[in-house]
């Protein structure tokens, strides 16, 4: 059985979330919105959206901000309770090409045990520094998986099978901020989950809200890469065998 929903983590994206939700619902997808401790203005917008679409939109709420990873995992827990087998993760800021949802779902149906991960195709709006900085993470991920199987570990447009994500979250505390998207993909790969890479356009809206905290998040990501490196070392034999299978 394949039953998918969309999870959208939201933190003070009151100006963008309405349009994103409209675009997602146009594809007939049920949606789980996760309010990650947003301001009262954003919370009010989310309440209105959920009340306007009670048949296909549900709202989960954190009293205190937990970070993107915490919000996504709350969405996974709700998806599992509601009987969904797969979650399509979409960011709330309007960066992702929601028109690609059918392509991502088709790929997930074809390989339901895999993660379908977006590979960004950027337009001219991407900040150059951010684009080049991503390659540092790409190299670390390729080292920590001994593979090029993960083409991009930072794009938040993905389809996950629910069961392996929840199994991983039960036995391992994952990074809850901007380190989440990277760490969960590496650790799922370590668990034997394959990755399907799909190109997708990513833009940076002029009025987009970024919650990336340069110092805090870069420190967390650096610490995560180091921890993953030492976690990779005892897995080298298994990873090498997998690479040549």
């Amino acid at each position: 059985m394949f039953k998918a929903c969309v999870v959208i983590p939201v933190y003070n994206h009151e100006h963008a979330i309405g349009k994103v939700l409209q675009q997602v619902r146009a594809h007939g997808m049920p949606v789980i919105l996760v309010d990650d401790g947003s301001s009262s203005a954003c919370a009010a917008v989310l309440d209105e959206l959920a009340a306007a679409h009670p048949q296909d939109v549900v709202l989960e709420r954190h009293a205190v901000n937990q970070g993107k990873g915490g919000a996504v995992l709350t969405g996974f827990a709700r998806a599992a309770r509601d009987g969904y087998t797969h979650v399509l993760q979409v960011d709330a800021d309007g960066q992702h090409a929601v028109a690609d949802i059918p392509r991502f779902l088709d790929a997930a149906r074809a390989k339901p045990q895999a993660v379908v991960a977006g590979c960004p195709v950027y337009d001219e709006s991407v900040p150059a520094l951010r684009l080049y900085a991503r390659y540092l993470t790409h190299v670390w991920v390729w080292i920590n998986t001994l593979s090029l199987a993960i083409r991009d570990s930072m794009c938040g447009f993905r389809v996950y099978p629910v069961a392996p994500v929840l199994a991983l979250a039960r036995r391992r505390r994952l990074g809850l901020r901007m380190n989440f998207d990277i760490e969960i993909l590496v650790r799922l790969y370590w668990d034997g989950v394959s990755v399907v890479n799909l190109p997708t356009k990513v833009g940076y809206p002029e009025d987009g809200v970024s919650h990336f905290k340069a110092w805090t998040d870069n420190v967390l990501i650096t610490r995560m890469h180091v921890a993953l490196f030492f976690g990779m070392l005892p897995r080298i034999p298994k990873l090498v065998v997998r690479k040549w299978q």
Side-chain angles (χ1 to χ4, degrees):
M1 185 181 70
F2 182 92
K3 184 180 180 183
C5 69
V6 173
V7 167
I8 308 178
V10 185
Y11 180 56
N12 294 341
H13 291 102
E14 61 267 27
H15 300 297
I17 185 58
K19 182 177 180 180
V20 172
L21 180 63
Q22 180 183 26
Q23 292 172 338
V24 170
R25 292 186 64 251
H27 294 283
M29 293 296 297
V31 180
I32 300 171
L33 298 173
V34 183
D35 177 3
D36 190 25
S38 296
S39 67
S40 58
C42 184
V45 169
L46 294 176
D47 286 336
E48 291 175 5
L49 291 171
H53 309 289
Q55 300 302 316
D56 56 4
V57 177
V58 298
L59 177 60
E60 292 283 320
R61 174 160 280 142
H62 293 164
V64 178
N65 178 261
Q66 296 183 22
K68 179 182 181 181
V72 172
L73 290 175
T74 292
F76 267 97
R78 178 60 186 261
R81 293 198 302 271
D82 290 350
Y84 293 103
T85 62
H86 288 73
V87 159
L88 193 156
Q89 176 185 325
V90 176
D91 287 352
D93 56 9
Q95 291 187 17
H96 295 152
V98 176
D100 284 341
I101 283 178
R103 293 176 52 235
F104 276 67
L105 292 178
D106 287 345
R109 288 189 188 94
K111 295 193 70 174
Q113 303 306 316
V115 174
V116 180
C119 262
V121 177
Y122 292 107
D123 60 20
E124 63 279 1
S125 67
V126 61
L129 181 60
R130 184 173 297 187
L131 178 62
Y132 298 136
R134 294 174 74 93
Y135 283 94
L136 295 174
T137 279
H138 296 343
V139 171
W140 270 112
V141 167
W142 297 334
I143 291 170
N144 289 334
T145 58
L146 299 184
S147 169
L148 299 178
I150 299 172
R151 300 301 301 274
D152 187 287
S153 62
M154 301 183 75
C155 180
F157 193 20
R158 299 174 179 170
V159 184
Y160 295 92
V162 171
V165 170
L166 292 182
L168 173 60
R170 281 193 294 268
R171 73 172 194 272
R172 178 83 194 189
R173 180 174 174 81
L174 298 166
L176 298 182
R177 290 190 55 82
M178 298 300 182
N179 48 354
F180 172 80
D181 285 334
I182 305 166
E183 182 177 11
I184 192 171
L185 205 52
V186 171
R187 291 192 180 278
L188 286 173
Y189 182 85
W190 285 355
D191 285 349
V193 177
S194 59
V195 178
V196 175
N197 300 284
L198 279 189
T200 183
K201 291 182 179 180
V202 175
Y204 283 78
E206 291 184 6
D207 59 349
V209 177
S210 173
H211 298 297
F212 188 89
K213 297 181 179 179
W215 172 254
T216 301
D217 286 317
N218 279 321
V219 168
L220 287 174
I221 288 172
T222 299
R223 291 174 58 187
M224 175 207 63
H225 283 312
V226 172
L228 290 174
F229 176 76
F230 286 104
M232 176 272 295
L233 294 178
R235 293 178 168 88
I236 287 177
K238 181 179 178 180
L239 292 172
V240 170
V241 169
R242 177 180 179 179
K243 184 175 181 179
W244 295 107
Q245 284 180 337

